[in-house]
Amino acid sequence: MSLYVRMEGIDKLGDFFVNVKENLVNRKTLDSMAEAAKRLVFERTAAARDVHGAPFKPYSKQYRKAREKRGLSGARVDLKSTGEMLGDISTGSNPDRGLSTVSFNDGKSAFKAISHHEGRARREFFGLDASGQEDIERMLEEHVSEVIKDAH
């Protein structure tokens, strides 16, 4: 006496994987992840907090006076002297590489950002904290789940 088990539908697995592969990495998803990361950087910077959640170090007395002379706040560190540096942040994606980017369009703005990150005042604003990373990872997980669900 024998018991036979037959696996059916294996021929459909190839179509499933092709569907997942075609829909998993796409520009729309990569762009939305980059835009979310950019928004998180902007929100935290507007709240005058660094990547670690600490308040930005105050401006030096000399710089504070110079800002006030131009009609800008000297008390609140917001990294918006001209708006150039933060306004120069853009997003992009490369679906062929599965890559999202948040970067500076201009070398001058990138230099300013590096100066904030590594300078005497150390105002590390350009990056994601653990919570921000989790938000982006959650977006990716939701997208993967949706693609797999729709591939059936």
Side-chain angles (χ1 to χ4, degrees):
M1 186 197 272
S2 299
L3 176 64
Y4 295 96
V5 177
R6 179 181 304 181
M7 293 180 70
E8 293 184 6
I10 291 179
D11 55 325
K12 295 178 184 176
L13 267 179
D15 293 339
F16 170 80
F17 286 118
V18 167
N19 196 350
V20 167
K21 181 181 176 191
E22 288 175 356
N23 294 298
L24 191 59
V25 180
N26 64 59
R27 186 171 304 280
K28 181 182 175 188
T29 301
L30 292 171
D31 285 346
S32 62
M33 288 170 46
E35 284 296 328
K38 177 182 170 181
R39 180 183 43 76
L40 290 168
V41 168
F42 275 43
E43 288 172 357
R44 194 187 54 249
T45 302
R49 300 242 171 235
D50 70 13
V51 205
H52 311 289
F56 287 142
K57 291 183 180 174
Y59 292 128
S60 68
K61 285 182 183 181
Q62 182 181 3
Y63 188 67
R64 185 174 60 238
K65 286 179 184 179
R67 283 181 59 88
E68 290 169 348
K69 201 175 204 179
R70 291 184 310 211
L72 299 169
S73 170
R76 181 167 164 69
V77 177
D78 60 7
L79 306 183
K80 289 184 184 177
S81 179
T82 64
E84 237 175 68
M85 180 181 68
L86 294 175
D88 196 38
I89 295 175
S90 67
T91 61
S93 62
N94 184 333
D96 293 337
R97 294 181 60 202
L99 183 68
S100 292
T101 58
V102 180
S103 59
F104 292 92
N105 293 320
D106 182 73
K108 182 179 174 184
S109 295
F111 180 76
K112 285 181 188 177
I114 289 169
S115 297
H116 280 288
H117 274 255
E118 298 174 6
R120 237 180 296 156
R122 290 199 61 93
R123 297 181 188 100
E124 297 178 64
F125 73 97
F126 196 72
L128 296 175
D129 59 7
S131 173
Q133 290 176 16
E134 288 171 6
D135 289 349
I136 303 302
E137 287 172 7
R138 195 173 310 110
M139 288 177 72
L140 182 58
E141 288 169 1
E142 288 170 4
H143 172 67
V144 170
S145 295
E146 199 65 31
V147 167
I148 291 172
K149 184 179 85 175
D150 291 347
H152 286 104

